[in-house]
């Protein structure tokens, strides 16, 4: 049997280029060789306050986004986390194996507690135990995510080993982090020192898959650049490195070739042409996304089928866990 992969994105806001390059792009490739599960992690999303109608809309839009980017529902199971109750159930058990000190070290938790200082809830703190449940329920071997999630994967590996050792049974598979080939950390267009993020304060930070062509062109025009006018990547050119990575992903050209194309030309040309390249790449994705958003029945069918396949595995694993732990009667 082929190896299993699982990944997920929170339905908060709109999918952006960072999500695509850091995560979804890998999924589309890997789905051909691995048994694949791609989740919309709505239970994670409520660790930050969400308006009910907006959350529901974001769940559907995220699912449509996966499909529009090329996740094939015949190859992969696409499902919503809250429709498989075992995620929350296993998360509870894993919470009892997770140390406070480990959670306190998580950088995502530290960042989010700063962003949401008025609501540092217990769910935000134990977020990684729920993420561990997502991964371990399916005995997942590989987890393709952006670099910001590496620390969480390391914690999940420790939890799996700790649980297995405690009961002296190999219940959980110890998963591995799969880094993106390119663009593990896409930076904000307004600030190349911070990652592009759905929840960034500035509207100039991220390019959403749903942005109109004009908005995309404007965002790229306004993107921060580095000193001197040479179009080249390098440690001393974080902004250009980021823009060149995006350019390379949307055109399939190598960064070296792009650098050659722009020898002797300034940032102005570069940005205009990058804007057009992103628009050309995104247009068919947006068209496909619109067809899924306009066909509620089709989207429901994909999510129902995905949840059913996921549930079949999840029920088995949870039963094994309850058995070894001694829960029930
Ligand atoms: P938020 O800002 O609300 O926390 P986010 O934009 O960071 O959201 P997530 O839902 O947390 O998005 O992440 C979904 C996936 O996208 C993860 O695999 C994550 O590693 C990846 N990802 C997110 N931002 C980037 C980025 N800037 N570069 C590369 N990968 C990213
Ligand atoms: N924590 C991740 C989202 C996430 C996830 C997962 C990713 C939740 N559960 C399971 C991979 C596998 C994030 O914030 N980007």
């Amino acid at each position: 049997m082929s190896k299993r992969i699982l990944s997920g994105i929170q339905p908060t806001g709109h999918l952006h280029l960072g999500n695509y390059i850091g995560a979804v792009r890998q999924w589309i490739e890997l789905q051909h060789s691995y048994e694949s599960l791609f989740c919309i992690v709505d239970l994670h999303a409520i660790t930050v306050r969400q308006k009910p109608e907006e959350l529901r809309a974001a769940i559907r839009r995220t699912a449509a986004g996966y499909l529009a980017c090329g996740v094939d529902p015949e190859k992969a199971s696409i499902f919503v986390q809250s429709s498989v109750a075992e995620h929350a159930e296993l998360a509870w058990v894993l919470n009892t194996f997770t140390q406070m000190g480990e959670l306190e070290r998580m950088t995502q938790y530290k960042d989010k507690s700063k962003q949401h200082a008025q609501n540092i809830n217990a769910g935000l703190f134990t977020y990684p135990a729920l993420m561990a449940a997502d991964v371990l329920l399916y005995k997942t071997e590989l987890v393709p995510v952006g670099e910001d999630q590496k620390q969480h994967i390391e914690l999940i590996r420790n939890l799996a080993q700790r649980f297995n050792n405690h009961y002296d049974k190999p219940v959980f598979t110890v998963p591995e982090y799969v880094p993106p080939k390119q663009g593990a950390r896409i930076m904000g267009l307004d600030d190349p020192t911070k990652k592009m993020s759905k929840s960034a304060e500035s509207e100039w930070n991220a390019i959403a898959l749903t942005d109109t062509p004009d908005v995309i062109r404007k965002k790229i025009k306004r993107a921060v650049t580095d000193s001197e006018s040479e179009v080249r990547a390098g440690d001393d050119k974080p902004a250009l490195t980021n823009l060149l990575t995006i350019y390379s992903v949307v055109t399939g050209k190598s960064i070296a070739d792009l650098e050659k194309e722009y020898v002797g030309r300034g940032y102005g040309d570069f940005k205009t042409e990058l804007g057009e390249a992103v628009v050309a790449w995104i247009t068919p994705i947006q068209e496909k996304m619109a067809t899924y958003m306009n066909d509620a029945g089709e989207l429901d069918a994909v999510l129902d089928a995905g949840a059913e396949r996921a549930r079949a595995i999840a029920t088995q694993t949870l039963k094994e866990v309850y058995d070894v732990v001694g829960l029930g009667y």
Side-chain angles (χ1 to χ4, degrees):
M1 208 180 63
S2 63
K3 285 194 179 180
R4 199 173 277 155
I5 66 170
L6 176 139
S7 194
I9 297 182
Q10 304 186 67
T12 47
H14 292 251
L15 288 179
H16 55 70
L17 274 179
N19 298 137
Y20 175 78
I21 298 172
V24 182
R25 184 168 178 238
Q26 276 57 248
W27 306 354
I28 295 159
E29 250 186 70
L30 295 167
Q31 67 181 344
H32 300 292
S33 335
Y34 298 94
E35 186 187 340
S36 305
L37 295 134
F38 302 122
C39 191
I40 294 130
V41 291
D42 56 346
L43 295 172
H44 278 111
I46 63 164
T47 55
V48 166
R49 289 283 167 266
Q50 307 288 344
K51 295 206 177 85
E53 328 73 66
E54 281 176 19
L55 177 60
R56 176 91 17 92
I59 291 170
R60 300 189 72 85
R61 196 171 55 230
T62 305
Y66 288 4
L67 291 160
C69 288
V71 176
D72 178 353
E74 304 284 324
K75 291 210 156 72
S77 303
I78 304 174
F79 68 103
V80 178
Q81 185 186 34
S82 65
S83 45
V84 182
E86 284 80 0
H87 288 246
E89 296 176 90
L90 181 60
W92 177 256
V93 176
L94 294 175
N95 261 316
T96 69
F97 276 81
T98 314
Q99 300 303 304
M100 303 287 284
E102 290 178 304
L103 294 172
E104 277 157 6
R105 283 196 289 278
M106 294 295 118
T107 55
Q108 183 168 318
Y109 167 68
K110 289 193 248 181
D111 291 346
K112 296 265 159 176
S113 348
K114 274 187 217 139
Q115 278 174 27
H116 303 277
Q118 75 299 350
N119 181 25
I120 307 176
N121 61 74
L124 189 67
F125 188 59
T126 66
Y127 177 115
L130 177 58
M131 180 166 166
D134 301 340
V135 173
L136 300 181
L137 254 185
Y138 301 97
K139 311 206 174 200
T140 304
E141 273 129 329
L142 304 173
V143 189
V145 280
E147 196 179 70
D148 60 306
Q149 295 302 309
K150 207 173 161 188
Q151 195 188 27
H152 284 157
I153 307 295
E154 205 45 52
L155 174 59
I156 296 171
R157 289 170 56 82
N158 289 336
L159 277 177
Q161 276 157 345
R162 188 175 305 155
F163 185 96
N164 289 350
N165 289 342
H166 181 79
Y167 294 107
D168 200 18
K169 289 234 167 65
V171 176
F172 294 130
T173 300
V174 180
E176 272 176 52
Y177 163 67
V178 186
K181 284 203 201 103
Q182 196 181 10
R185 199 172 150 81
I186 295 295
M187 309 313 269
L189 297 182
D190 59 334
D191 180 357
T193 65
K194 296 207 182 87
K195 75 163 191 150
M196 185 178 283
S197 162
K198 281 185 247 134
S199 50
E201 263 169 38
S202 162
E203 60 176 310
W204 306 105
N205 170 273
I207 292 180
L209 294 186
T210 46
D211 278 344
T212 62
D214 276 346
V215 167
I216 293 171
R217 292 186 186 105
K218 219 181 273 171
K219 283 184 177 174
I220 291 176
K221 279 247 163 69
R222 286 188 57 145
V224 168
T225 46
D226 308 297
S227 56
E228 60 168 43
S229 60
E230 205 185 338
V231 176
R232 113 184 119 72
D235 288 347
D236 57 331
K237 305 269 276 186
L240 264 290
T241 304
N242 193 44
L243 294 175
L244 278 162
T245 303
I246 294 172
Y247 207 154
S248 165
V249 168
V250 300
T251 57
K253 294 180 187 174
S254 72
I255 291 185
D257 283 347
L258 288 167
E259 286 173 336
K260 272 185 221 141
E261 260 182 55
Y262 287 95
V263 170
R265 298 165 70 198
Y267 290 157
D269 276 5
F270 172 74
K271 281 181 162 181
T272 306
E273 288 167 25
L274 170 57
E276 293 315 316
V278 173
V279 169
W281 171 82
I282 226 165
T283 302
I285 293 180
Q286 294 188 337
E287 284 165 6
K288 221 170 147 195
M289 208 163 154
T291 61
Y292 281 109
M293 292 302 285
N294 293 331
D295 189 345
E298 173 69 16
L299 197 61
D300 286 348
V302 167
L303 294 174
D304 287 349
E308 201 175 314
R309 287 200 293 260
R311 211 174 285 124
I313 309 168
T315 322
Q316 285 289 324
T317 310
L318 192 72
K319 184 175 179 316
E320 255 180 81
V321 169
Y322 278 25
D323 281 350
V324 299
V325 176
L327 292 166
Y329 57 93

